[in-house]
Amino acid sequence: MGKVPPKELRLRALGVEALAPGEVSAKVRIRGPEELFRLLERLSPKERGLALLRGLEALGYLKEGSHAQDRG
């Protein structure tokens, strides 16, 4: 096993993982009940993204399975 690159060491020390190819991390303002935000805060960023994708599919805004994150 080779030496772990410095970037991965820093990310691991912070308790986060590097973005996969095609992934973006962004701040987006949303409105909703307080309970929604308590739940979202308990999820990992990856789980939050998946929950949003599933919700958008359920509402008909996205075609099911049409996004890269779902194929990982």
Side-chain angles (χ1 to χ4, degrees), residues 9-51:
L9 286 175
R10 291 192 310 270
L11 292 172
R12 191 179 304 158
L14 294 171
V16 296
E17 62 182 80
L19 294 173
E23 280 187 319
V24 175
S25 179
K27 290 184 179 186
V28 178
R29 292 185 54 88
I30 59 172
R31 292 173 60 164
E34 193 173 331
E35 180 182 344
L36 169 67
F37 295 93
R38 282 194 298 269
L39 175 60
L40 286 172
E41 287 175 345
R42 291 194 306 253
L43 299 175
S44 71
K46 190 173 274 191
E47 291 169 323
R48 289 181 209 136
L50 185 57

